[in-house]
Amino acid sequence: MHAVGIVAAAGSGLRLGADRPKALVPLGGRPLVAWAVATLLDGGVDEVVVAVPAEERDAFAAALPAGSRLVDGGATRTASVRAALAAVDPAATAVLVHDAARPLTPPDVVARVLAALAAGAPAVVPVLPVVDTTVVVDDAGVVAAAPDRATLRRVQTPQGFDRATLAAAYDRLPAGAELTDDAAVVRAAGVPVGTVAGDERCAKVTVAHDLALAELQVAR
Ligand code: CTP
Ligand code: MG
């Protein structure tokens, strides 16, 4: 198996509100994107392609290890992953798509995703149980349904795919379509998506509070 990691790092980080793109914001003195790339390589991925904001290429190149390939991202996460996927060597057999915004993901999670792909899964996502009662509300905010919590999972990254399966699913996706993750892209093409155990440390840095929590973790 030859596995390529794609890191979606082309977002601006509006909700974090930092003075630079979120993926360049330091955590323990090291940019978020550098943490995400290191996790993929430590977990067994062979090489990485990173989607970055076009105007920040130089800053990203300086933040990443030699050998990282950079591509210009798009206006949405879906467009950024599509651009990175187009740059992946067609000889690669597996692709793992990861958010730069999940810097403290343990390499073990990467290894579990790779193992599921090696065992023949066409698509696999790391998941965690939902611990709060979770409800559906109507337009007025009134609870309309309460799904059985035991069947619910929170989905994280890195998400793993057979490369050709993911490429075919993106080819089928209409230009301009925007989905929140890559598992949704292959599911739209009818591909079953398996699960492996995720990890609380895969938590996404979205708002300032998340970054403060991550700083506490690396300071230990
Ligand atoms: N992403 C991307 N290209 C985009 C938008 C997002 O590659 N056009 C990436 C982000 O860099 C991030 C991941 O997708 O690593 C998850 O997105 P999110 O947490 O929403 O990050 P941002 O879009 O940067 O943040 P915000 O939505 O607050 O602006
Ligand atoms: Mg976003």
Side-chain angles (χ1 to χ4, degrees):
M1 197 165 76
H2 184 85
V4 176
I6 286 177
V7 179
S12 53
L14 280 180
R15 288 169 291 179
L16 186 62
D19 60 355
R20 65 195 84 181
K22 181 162 72 179
L24 289 177
V25 169
L27 165 64
R30 187 186 188 204
L32 298 188
V33 67
W35 287 90
V37 166
T39 284
L40 287 172
L41 295 172
D42 289 351
V45 156
D46 298 291
E47 53 179 314
V48 294
V49 178
V50 186
V52 306
E55 63 280 7
E56 300 278 355
R57 263 186 111 103
D58 293 350
F60 276 79
L64 292 172
S68 312
R69 289 182 61 193
L70 273 55
V71 301
D72 291 348
T76 63
R77 186 185 184 283
T78 303
S80 294
V81 175
R82 199 194 281 275
L85 192 54
V88 170
D89 183 350
T93 49
V95 171
L96 269 65
V97 187
H98 191 35
D99 289 329
R102 299 181 188 272
L104 299 183
T105 299
D108 282 4
V109 179
V110 178
R112 284 198 285 277
V113 170
L114 286 171
L117 295 174
V124 61
V125 296
V127 298
L128 285 179
V130 171
V131 295
D132 294 316
T133 295
T134 302
V135 299
V136 178
V137 295
D138 65 16
D139 291 345
V142 175
V143 175
D148 176 11
R149 192 173 69 195
T151 67
L152 298 176
R153 301 289 184 273
R154 292 183 285 144
V155 179
Q156 305 180 315
T157 77
Q159 300 186 351
F161 305 92
D162 168 69
R163 188 205 59 80
T165 300
L166 184 63
Y170 265 90
D171 283 348
R172 283 176 51 140
L173 191 70
E178 188 185 350
L179 299 176
T180 55
D181 72 355
D182 306 284
V185 176
V186 298
R187 270 180 34 84
V191 177
V193 177
T195 61
V196 295
D199 192 297
E200 293 292 355
R201 290 166 290 180
C202 300
K204 189 156 78 73
V205 172
T206 305
V207 296
H209 174 74
D210 304 325
L211 188 61
L213 284 181
E215 288 286 8
L216 289 175
Q217 283 172 264
V218 300
R220 275 182 315 184

